[in-house]
Amino acid sequence: FPYRYGRLAGYVNVLGEFVVAPRYTVASEFVEGLALVSEDGEHFGFINRLGQVVIPLDYTSATPFSDGVTVAGLPSTATSGPQVVYLDRANNNIFGATTFAAGQPFSEGLAGVQAATGKYGFIDLTGAQAIPARYDYVLAFTEGLAAVLEGGKVGYINRRGEMVIAPRFEAADVFAEGVAAVALDGKVGFI
């Protein structure tokens, strides 16, 4: 597990012995056998439990692996702004050359992505558009529903993209154990 020693972190075993010497400014937990790390806080990649770099520290951001996939940020270029890709454990973009302006990890088989229009929608595990990009922002699907921002208000859609709870909340969170926190008229409660 990660262990901070001074300003740097490494990884220790259950006996408290360093298996990976402290050299990282960012050192996350191992998820699916890989840990997200950064030496400078600006370039991210993944190591295995032996400390070997499996995915180079070439990305501007990354999420922990989930279902064998991470969302990794590409550096901006003169012709494009920030972009993200969906990588497998071998550092391959699972959607070929396709990039997105922004993206979220997969949840319940769908991932929220930002299209070139600036609007958000959802893709499936093949990269196909599952729900058109027409929202100002989206949260992950949990318990079959996703919070979506539309016209300054938050509502919830189902996996078919149908609005099941009309946008009326000032803020909202994902569902957990059958309830979601929402803000309405300056007060917070649960639905």
Side-chain angles (χ1 to χ4, degrees):
F1 60 91
Y3 185 81
R4 189 156 295 281
Y5 187 79
R7 292 186 303 192
L8 299 177
Y11 290 85
V12 297
N13 62 19
V14 294
L15 300 174
E17 304 163 331
F18 275 103
V19 180
V20 178
R23 62 182 282 193
Y24 300 108
T25 59
V26 175
S28 70
E29 300 282 336
F30 280 91
V31 177
E32 297 185 13
L34 299 177
L36 174 65
V37 295
S38 175
E39 292 176 334
D40 61 7
E42 295 180 13
H43 300 88
F44 296 84
F46 291 86
I47 62 170
N48 63 19
R49 291 183 185 275
L50 299 175
Q52 300 164 325
V53 175
V54 176
I55 295 180
L57 283 67
D58 294 339
Y59 299 95
T60 59
S61 63
T63 63
F65 270 83
S66 176
D67 295 327
V69 178
T70 180
V71 184
L74 297 174
S76 297
T77 65
T79 58
S80 73
Q83 300 285 304
V84 298
V85 292
Y86 287 78
L87 301 175
D88 64 16
R89 295 169 53 86
N91 197 31
N92 299 311
N93 182 349
I94 65 171
F95 302 131
T98 302
T99 63
F100 300 92
Q104 301 169 350
F106 279 93
S107 177
E108 298 186 8
L110 298 173
V113 295
Q114 185 180 31
T117 62
K119 297 289 187 177
Y120 285 79
F122 289 88
I123 58 171
D124 64 20
L125 289 164
T126 68
Q129 178 179 288
I131 298 172
R134 62 177 173 247
Y135 304 104
D136 299 320
Y137 194 72
V138 298
L139 294 181
F141 272 93
T142 58
E143 300 186 11
L145 298 176
V148 296
L149 178 63
E150 185 176 56
K153 298 289 182 181
V154 182
Y156 289 85
I157 60 172
N158 64 21
R159 294 174 43 81
R160 292 183 301 278
E162 301 165 334
M163 190 67 68
V164 294
I165 301 174
R168 67 178 186 267
F169 304 108
E170 295 145 11
D173 204 350
V174 297
F175 272 87
E177 297 184 27
V179 297
V182 297
L184 184 63
D185 298 327
K187 296 185 181 190
V188 177
F190 291 91
I191 57 170

